[in-house]
């Protein structure tokens, strides 16, 4: 056998062995992963995050836990132990960290089952400067949950109010859909639900489910304000109503952070009880680089921006 | 044979009257509007061009316009009769009250259709929040409906004791009407979020504009329905009402000019952007051509120089009335299409999240239906109710 052929045969044999061993190892690893319970997997993931977090400068300095989400979740649990009138929910958005991925917008749409044309948290994109000194920045705009909400007194039927935790809430069943609150909000933070569905007009045909079946999900209830609102027809609220961000009230009362907060990949959105001096948001809103939108109107927004 | 002749006798009994064209036109408009109303009933507000950023449009503009016509004409009429003691004008009282009532019903119909949940309109009575200007508007408008209805009933079918009650109702209608018109202006005036609306002058401007349009309505009713058109009294009354209408129109021009000049002078973009949109935007012609030229200058010329020619005076009054709707539309729409926060309309894109608003065919179709409904009511009322001054009826018979 020529030397070259011998060498090739040895190489083939080594490659086969290598692939065989790798396959067995990978198979075992996969089996191990599949065999683990979800709880074990979560624990392993959290341990991994913890290990990573222990190496961040903040953790070394002992000022923050591994992930601000963990800290905010703990603070949320702490706040929920207090009477509701003693909480003051606040959102802080760090514009330096926002990368304009719109994940918060989409998370909010999914969480609240928002139909087409309704949005609670759009992200405004701004471009400033002239070439070559050009900058872009992204400004998420949830409801400001104003201390003095201009949208509340204009409602003719008491369908919207500021609750004792400072969230501006809606009673969908009472709202008559006059849209006065939409005109009164200086932040355009309220949108009207015109009754659209994503699957409207979906054709029926071979291999196509058609609108009737496709919109089952859209017709199912959402759970805003802890109530069920199935979307059955034009008269079933919130169709025909004004709608707005409520800081995912239904989640926070269960100890879960708002959807936009947990989804923010840059951890640019922070949430918590500003009445708790130990909370992250209380720390942040005391910073000198904090601002709020349209302060001159005296609405006292509870959404702060770090710039 | 009785069976054979009876139907033909009935047909012969129907005779066209001069004002029948009103209900015929009303029927045509209803036919034109059926499509829009069907759309409104079957798909809600989705087929309109309204959006979350421009939540009010054509219908709210028409609502305010009709409130101006109705309250302005009735307040001026009541003040002239009961406060200024003009007894002659009382001859057209039934038709003035009836016109006001029809216009009021049209206004309420439009605003009812503009609700996202019209079936819940009664919530305003059961769960009212009196910090809202809309609550006051609905309550005052309903009160006005009751007062006006009672006035019309007593005027048409009252007895010798009715006059005392009519005076009480008339005097009551003055503060009620004043409150209604001021509240209608305050709906916009109190909104701090919209700088051009947010002015204490706006409710006052609503009041002056209502009197200006109301004077036009009274003038037109005088020209058309005065019982004895060959009398000297007719000419006198037309000249008198023409003078009032002209001066009211001038007062409106003065008030609007003061607002425009002071706003443009201070130059804050939040205010001037919307105002410049009215004056120089894509719909500049609605302001300069329809309102200023055809609605103010031409009528003023006619009213000041041709007051002795009732036909021309009627044309001037009709022009002024018809084009005044551009004023309320220009109050409502340009302010809303001016962005509150730049970049929002492109942040999350959907036809209902846009600042572009032009009323579409469906919205106009609904307006046609409401005006058709009003025309039908009015035309049939003229035919079947004793609202026409007696000699007009005698003449038509």
């Amino acid at each position: 056998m020529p030397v070259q052929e011998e060498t090739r045969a040895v190489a083939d044999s080594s490659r086969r062995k290598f692939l065989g061993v790798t396959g067995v190892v990978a198979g075992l690893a996969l089996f191990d992963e599949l065999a683990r319970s979800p709880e074990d997997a979560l624990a392993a993931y959290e341990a991994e995050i913890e290990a990573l977090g222990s190496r961040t400068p903040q953790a070394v300095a002992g000022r923050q836990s591994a992930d601000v989400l963990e800290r905010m979740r703990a603070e949320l649990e702490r706040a929920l132990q207090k009477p509701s009138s003693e909480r003051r929910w606040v959102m802080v958005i760090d514009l330096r960290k926002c990368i304009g991925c719109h994940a918060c917008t989409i998370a909010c749409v999914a969480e609240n089952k928002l139909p087409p044309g309704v949005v609670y948290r759009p992200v405004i994109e701004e471009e400033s400067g002239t070439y070559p000194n050009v900058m872009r920045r992204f400004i998420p705009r949830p409801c400001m949950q104003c201390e003095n909400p201009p949208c509340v007194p204009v409602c003719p039927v008491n369908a919207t109010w500021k609750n004792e935790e400072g969230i501006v809430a809606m009673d969908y069943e009472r709202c008559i859909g006059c849209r006065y609150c939409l005109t009164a909000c200086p932040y355009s933070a309220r949108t009207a639900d015109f009754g659209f569905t994503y699957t409207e007009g979906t054709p029926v045909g071979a291999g196509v489910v058609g609108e009737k079946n496709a919109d089952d999900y859209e017709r199912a209830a959402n759970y805003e304000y802890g109530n069920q609102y199935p979307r059955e027809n034009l008269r079933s609220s919130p169709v025909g109503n004004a709608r707005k961000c409520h800081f995912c009230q239904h989640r926070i009362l269960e100890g879960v952070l708002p959807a936009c907060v947990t989804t923010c990949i840059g951890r640019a959105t922070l949430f918590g009880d500003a009445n708790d001096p130990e909370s992250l948001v209380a720390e942040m809103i005391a910073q000198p680089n904090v601002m709020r939108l349209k302060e001159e109107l005296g609405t006292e927004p509870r959404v702060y921006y770090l710039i | 044979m009785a069976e054979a002749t009876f139907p033909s006798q009935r047909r012969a009994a129907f005779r066209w009257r001069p004002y029948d064209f009103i209900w015929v036109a009303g029927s045509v408009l209803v036919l034109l509007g059926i499509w829009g109303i069907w759309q409104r009933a079957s798909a809600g507000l989705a087929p309109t061009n309204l959006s979350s950023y421009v939540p009010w449009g054509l219908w709210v503009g028409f609502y305010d316009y009709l409130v101006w016509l109705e309250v302005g004409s009735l307040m001026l009429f009541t003040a002239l009769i009961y406060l200024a003691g003009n007894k002659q004008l009382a001859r057209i009282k039934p038709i003035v009250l009836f016109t006001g009532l029809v216009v009021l019903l049209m206004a309420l119909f439009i605003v009812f259709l503009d609700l996202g949940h019209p079936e819940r309109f009664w919530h305003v009575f059961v769960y009212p929040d009196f910090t809202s200007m809309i609550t006051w508007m609905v309550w005052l408008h309903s009160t006005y409906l009751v007062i006006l209805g009672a006035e019309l009933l007593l005027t048409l079918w009252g007895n010798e004791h009715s006059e005392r009650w009519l005076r009480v109702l008339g005097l009551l209608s003055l503060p009620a009407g004043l409150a209604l018109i001021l509240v209608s202006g305050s709906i916009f005036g109190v909104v701090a979020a919209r700088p051009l609306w947010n002015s204490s002058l706006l409710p006052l401007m609503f009041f002056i504009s209502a009197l200006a349009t109301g004077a036009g309505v009274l003038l037109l009713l005088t020209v058309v329905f005065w019982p004895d058109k060959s009398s000297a009294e007719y000419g006198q009354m037309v000249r008198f009402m023409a003078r009032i209408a002209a001066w009211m129109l001038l007062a409106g021009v003065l008030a609007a000019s003061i607002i425009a000049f002071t706003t443009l002078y201070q130059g804050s973009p939040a205010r001037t952007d919307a105002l410049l949109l009215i004056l120089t935007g894509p719909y500049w012609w609605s302001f300069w051509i329809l309102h200023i030229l055809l609605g103010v200058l031409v009528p003023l010329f006619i009213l000041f120089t041709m007051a002795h020619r009732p036909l021309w005076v009627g044309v001037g009054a009709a022009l002024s009335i018809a084009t005044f709707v551009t004023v309320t539309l220009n109050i409502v729409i340009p302010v809303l299409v001016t962005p509150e926060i730049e970049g929002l309309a492109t942040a999350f894109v959907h036809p209902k999240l846009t600042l572009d608003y032009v009323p579409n065919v469906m919205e106009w179709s609904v307006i046609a239906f409401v005006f058709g409904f009003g025309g039908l009511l009015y035309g049939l009322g003229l035919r079947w109710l004793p609202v026409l001054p007696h000699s007009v009826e005698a003449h038509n018979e």
Side-chain angles (χ1 to χ4, degrees):
Chain A
M1 189 184 279
V3 178
Q4 274 187 338
E5 281 184 16
E6 195 178 331
T7 314
R8 196 178 298 135
V10 171
D12 282 351
S13 157
S14 306
R15 196 177 300 129
R16 270 197 299 274
K17 271 185 196 161
F18 171 75
L19 289 174
V21 170
T22 311
V24 169
V25 171
L28 284 173
L30 184 64
F31 178 77
D32 181 49
E33 194 65 32
L34 289 174
R36 255 201 260 173
S37 68
E39 289 77 17
D40 290 344
L42 181 63
Y45 167 74
E46 286 183 341
E48 197 179 342
I49 293 292
E50 190 64 40
L52 283 172
S54 65
R55 294 193 292 274
T56 61
Q58 298 96 322
V60 171
R63 296 195 56 207
Q64 284 184 359
S65 65
D67 189 323
V68 289
L69 277 183
E70 294 305 316
R71 177 174 171 187
M72 289 190 290
R73 201 153 60 186
E75 289 169 2
L76 178 59
E77 290 291 345
R78 198 161 67 224
L80 289 172
Q81 306 305 314
K82 298 197 291 186
S84 56
S85 58
E86 290 175 21
R87 302 171 202 144
R88 188 162 71 93
W89 301 127
V90 152
M91 189 170 278
V92 181
I93 301 173
D94 193 339
L95 296 184
R96 298 162 304 178
K97 287 184 176 174
C98 178
I99 59 165
C101 70
H102 299 266
C104 55
T105 311
I106 302 307
C108 173
V109 168
E111 174 67 30
N112 296 298
K113 292 182 85 259
L114 302 184
V118 176
V119 64
Y120 291 172
R121 191 186 159 98
V123 178
I124 299 161
E125 300 186 12
E126 257 187 13
E127 207 171 273
S128 58
T130 47
Y131 180 82
N133 302 310
V134 184
M135 285 290 288
R136 290 187 86 197
R137 72 170 173 179
F138 308 96
I139 310 170
R141 202 266 15 240
C143 169
M144 299 290 132
Q145 316 293 353
C146 304
E147 187 66 42
N148 305 312
C151 54
V152 167
V154 299
C155 177
V157 293
N158 280 305
T160 188
W161 65 94
K162 189 181 75 175
N163 71 18
E164 53 183 5
E165 295 167 298
I167 290 173
V168 178
M170 284 283 307
D171 181 344
Y172 285 149
E173 302 295 345
R174 185 175 287 188
C175 171
I176 59 172
C178 69
R179 307 182 301 289
Y180 196 8
C181 53
L182 272 70
T183 69
C185 173
Y187 309 100
S188 298
R190 286 172 172 253
T191 47
D193 188 335
F194 288 92
F196 290 98
T197 56
Y198 292 97
T199 49
E200 194 174 326
T202 307
V204 183
V208 183
V209 285
E211 183 181 338
K212 257 201 164 135
N213 296 319
D215 73 355
D216 280 356
Y217 167 76
E218 295 194 76
R219 300 288 170 202
N222 73 22
Y223 291 90
E224 291 177 277
Y225 306 106
N227 300 318
Q228 286 191 43
Y229 296 103
R231 198 175 176 78
E232 284 156 359
N233 55 45
L234 275 180
R235 279 195 296 279
S236 50
S237 285
V239 176
N241 291 136
R243 301 184 67 173
K244 64 181 290 298
C245 154
H246 34 70
F247 277 177
C248 282
Q249 193 189 355
H250 56 285
R251 283 168 65 106
I252 55 179
L253 291 179
E254 298 297 327
V256 184
L257 290 164
C260 54
V261 176
T262 55
T263 335
C264 180
I265 59 171
R267 301 291 183 257
T269 300
L270 311 174
F271 178 82
D273 173 21
N275 279 351
D276 176 357
E278 302 295 316
S279 70
L280 180 60
V281 289
E283 259 179 53
M284 291 298 137
I285 63 175
Q287 302 294 315
N289 58 330
V290 77
M291 55 84 80
R292 295 182 292 183
L293 295 182
K294 299 193 180 187
E295 293 225 49
E296 73 278 7
L297 293 177
T299 51
E300 301 287 335
R302 288 169 190 260
V303 174
Y304 295 77
Y305 293 91
L306 293 174
I307 53 173
Chain B
M1 238 170 28
E3 290 81 4
T5 54
F6 182 65
S8 63
Q9 279 170 349
R10 278 188 62 125
R11 271 199 298 277
F14 181 86
R15 280 193 298 136
W16 286 96
R17 296 181 188 181
Y19 303 118
D20 279 344
F21 82 91
I22 296 177
W23 66 259
V24 174
S27 310
V28 173
L29 284 175
V30 164
L31 287 177
L32 287 174
I34 281 177
W35 174 75
I37 280 288
W38 176 79
Q39 290 266 306
R40 173 65 189 84
S42 60
L45 295 173
T48 66
N49 266 359
L50 294 170
S51 67
S52 287
Y53 300 148
V54 189
W56 291 344
L58 186 74
W59 298 347
V60 171
F62 263 92
Y63 169 77
D64 284 308
Y65 165 66
L66 293 173
V67 171
W68 286 5
L69 294 183
E70 151 214 338
V71 181
S73 61
L74 290 167
M75 281 191 74
L76 192 61
F77 183 76
T78 310
L80 284 172
I81 289 184
Y82 292 115
L83 300 184
N86 190 323
K87 301 290 177 209
Q88 284 173 304
L89 202 58
R91 295 183 70 177
I92 56 168
K93 189 174 186 177
I95 190 70
V96 171
L97 294 178
F98 180 62
T99 307
L101 186 69
V102 171
V103 176
L104 184 153
L105 291 173
M106 287 163 65
L108 288 177
F109 192 13
I110 286 186
V111 86
F112 171 80
L113 292 171
D114 194 64
L115 295 177
H117 279 283
E119 78 283 1
R120 295 182 190 163
F121 79 92
W122 53 273
H123 285 195
V124 189
F125 299 103
V126 181
Y127 313 112
D129 181 347
F130 287 103
T131 60
S132 170
M133 289 300 124
I134 285 189
T135 308
W136 282 103
M137 183 197 84
V138 172
W139 280 61
L140 283 167
H141 221 156
S142 308
T143 308
Y144 211 69
L145 175 67
V146 172
I147 293 176
L148 190 53
E151 274 189 284
L152 189 63
L153 282 176
L154 287 176
T155 304
L156 297 185
W157 296 291
N159 54 28
E160 65 274 14
H161 305 296
S162 302
E163 191 48 42
R164 196 159 51 92
W165 283 108
L166 276 170
R167 187 179 172 80
V168 172
L169 287 170
L171 292 175
L172 264 180
S173 76
L174 284 175
L178 179 66
L180 175 55
I181 206 74
L182 293 179
V183 159
S184 301
S186 301
I187 285 177
F188 304 97
V190 299
V191 178
R194 314 284 176 168
L196 192 60
W197 284 352
N198 188 212
S199 160
S200 47
L201 278 178
L202 199 66
L204 284 176
M205 199 201 138
F206 263 55
F207 179 56
I208 296 169
S209 303
L211 290 182
T213 48
V217 172
L218 278 189
L219 176 58
L220 189 61
L221 293 177
T222 307
V223 169
V224 176
F225 293 109
W226 196 263
D228 187 2
K229 293 197 176 68
S230 55
S231 66
E233 190 189 33
Y234 176 57
Q236 266 176 11
M237 193 48 70
V238 169
R239 280 195 297 279
F240 171 67
M241 287 310 304
R243 228 172 18 247
I244 291 181
W247 284 108
M248 288 293 175
L249 213 49
L250 275 179
V253 171
L254 183 69
S257 305
I258 291 170
I259 293 176
F261 286 133
T262 50
T263 304
L264 288 174
Y265 185 87
Q266 57 99 3
S268 146
R271 285 177 188 276
T272 52
D273 281 2
L275 186 57
L276 286 173
L277 201 57
I278 299 171
L279 302 179
T280 61
Y283 298 95
W284 63 271
W285 48 267
S286 72
F287 180 77
W288 292 110
I289 308 279
L290 292 181
H291 177 50
I292 297 295
L293 181 66
L294 297 177
V296 175
L297 294 178
V298 173
L300 277 180
F301 176 76
I302 292 174
L303 298 181
F304 278 124
T305 63
M306 294 193 259
H308 57 287
R309 298 167 75 173
L311 182 67
W312 278 104
V313 169
V315 170
L319 264 180
S320 169
I321 296 167
T323 54
F324 235 87
V325 70
T326 59
V327 181
T328 50
L329 291 175
N330 271 323
I331 288 174
V332 176
I333 300 169
V335 168
L336 292 172
V337 301
T338 307
E340 287 188 307
I341 296 180
E342 289 288 346
L344 200 55
T346 50
F348 197 78
V349 179
H350 188 271
K352 292 295 179 195
L353 295 171
T354 174
L355 286 160
D356 299 325
Y357 174 77
V358 181
N360 63 15
V361 179
M362 178 263 182
E363 287 167 80
W364 282 109
S365 174
V366 167
I367 289 292
F369 189 89
V370 173
F371 274 75
F373 157 80
L376 264 178
L377 271 186
Y378 200 65
L380 294 176
L382 288 178
R383 190 175 178 88
W384 301 112
L385 297 175
V387 290
L388 287 173
H390 294 302
S391 58
V392 175
E393 259 185 327
H395 176 76
N396 291 337
E397 291 296 328

